[in-house]
Amino acid sequence: MVGNPYDVLYAFFDFSHLDEYKQILSDLAIHSYKKTIYKQDNPCHVFVFYTALSSFIKVCHCLKRKSRKWQAKGSDHYTSIVHLASLSKNEYKNPFQVFEKAFEQRSLEQFEFFLCEIVHLSLSPHAVESDYDMITPYVHLIKMLDAGQLIMERGIKKIKKEKQSVDILSPIE
């Protein structure tokens, strides 16, 4: 991935809305267990979705690495539980935690494999049980989509390091 991950995140959410991404991901998950092909009339939409979500996963991995230097701006207060979406209160306050947790449990390659697996199974005319845990990466991706949208809405700011008031190498007087 080249460039600023925040620009890619902006382009991702500019391309389509959060609700649409979450709906397609849910539909793919459901169709991965059915004998019917998802979007049989026009399966190329799945390829476009796959490409966009693959880029999004890479951006999230990059944002995980930047989480110690950046934080979401704006109010971390919510007026309704609906505002939290899939996020916990702490994740709403600091959406970068979502990326940290997701990539602690699964690697970038595992998320990419999940995406390939779910697309493959949802486009297959055969009902095949996957040996792979499909639930955990699905839940993490839903949370990452919510966190990404929240970061786009609130913006980001660089975390300022606090200066230590006492130099620990100085002799005590």
Side-chain angles (χ1 to χ4, degrees), residues 119-134:
V119 166
H120 167 75
L121 293 173
S122 65
L123 293 177
S124 174
H126 309 289
V128 179
E129 289 269 340
S130 177
D131 295 338
Y132 184 73
D133 171 21
M134 301 289 273

Side-chain angles (χ1 to χ4, degrees), residues 149-161:
Q149 178 68 36
L150 189 59
I151 287 171
M152 291 309 306
E153 289 173 2
R154 289 171 42 192
I156 57 166
K157 63 182 177 181
K158 194 166 186 125
I159 297 173
K160 296 178 183 178
K161 292 186 178 182

Side-chain angles (χ1 to χ4, degrees), residues 4-169:
N4 185 335
Y6 302 105
D7 291 342
V8 177
L9 191 64
Y10 178 79
F12 176 79
F13 285 109
D14 191 44
F15 178 72
S16 193
H17 296 280
L18 172 66
D19 293 340
E20 187 174 351
Y21 285 123
K22 289 167 71 171
Q23 183 64 52
I24 293 171
L25 184 59
S26 295
D27 289 347
L28 289 175
I30 291 167
H31 272 79
S32 67
Y33 294 99
K34 292 183 174 184
K35 290 183 180 182
T36 58
I37 297 173
Y38 179 70
K39 295 280 188 187
Q40 188 167 359
D41 58 329
N42 198 356
C44 71
H45 289 293
V46 177
F47 178 72
V48 172
F49 174 78
Y50 167 82
T51 304
L53 202 59
S54 178
S55 295
F56 176 75
I57 291 169
K58 291 173 186 161
V59 165
C60 291
H61 188 261
C62 185
L63 291 175
K64 177 203 88 131
R65 292 187 311 228
K66 295 187 177 284
S67 65
R68 298 191 198 287
K69 297 178 183 176
W70 296 91
Q71 67 184 28
K73 285 190 215 175
S75 175
D76 58 359
H77 301 301
Y78 53 91
T79 56
S80 167
I81 194 134
V82 174
H83 286 127
L84 294 176
S86 65
L87 306 178
S88 70
K89 292 176 184 178
N90 287 335
E91 291 167 341
Y92 186 85
K93 290 178 183 178
N94 181 8
F96 286 96
Q97 284 181 354
V98 173
F99 310 126
E100 291 172 2
K101 288 178 187 177
F103 290 104
E104 282 174 8
Q105 290 190 4
R106 296 284 190 268
S107 67
L108 176 61
E109 293 77 19
Q110 288 173 315
F111 277 108
E112 289 175 337
F113 177 80
F114 163 76
L115 189 55
C116 286
E117 185 76 359
I118 201 167
V119 166
H120 167 75
L121 293 173
S122 65
L123 293 177
S124 174
H126 309 289
V128 179
E129 289 269 340
S130 177
D131 295 338
Y132 184 73
D133 171 21
M134 301 289 273
I135 302 296
T136 304
Y138 169 82
V139 170
H140 282 300
L141 273 175
I142 293 293
K143 290 173 86 69
M144 285 192 277
L145 286 165
D146 286 336
Q149 178 68 36
L150 189 59
I151 287 171
M152 291 309 306
E153 289 173 2
R154 289 171 42 192
I156 57 166
K157 63 182 177 181
K158 194 166 186 125
I159 297 173
K160 296 178 183 178
K161 292 186 178 182
E162 295 180 27
K163 295 181 182 179
Q164 276 189 312
S165 59
V166 179
D167 183 359
I168 58 173
L169 297 177

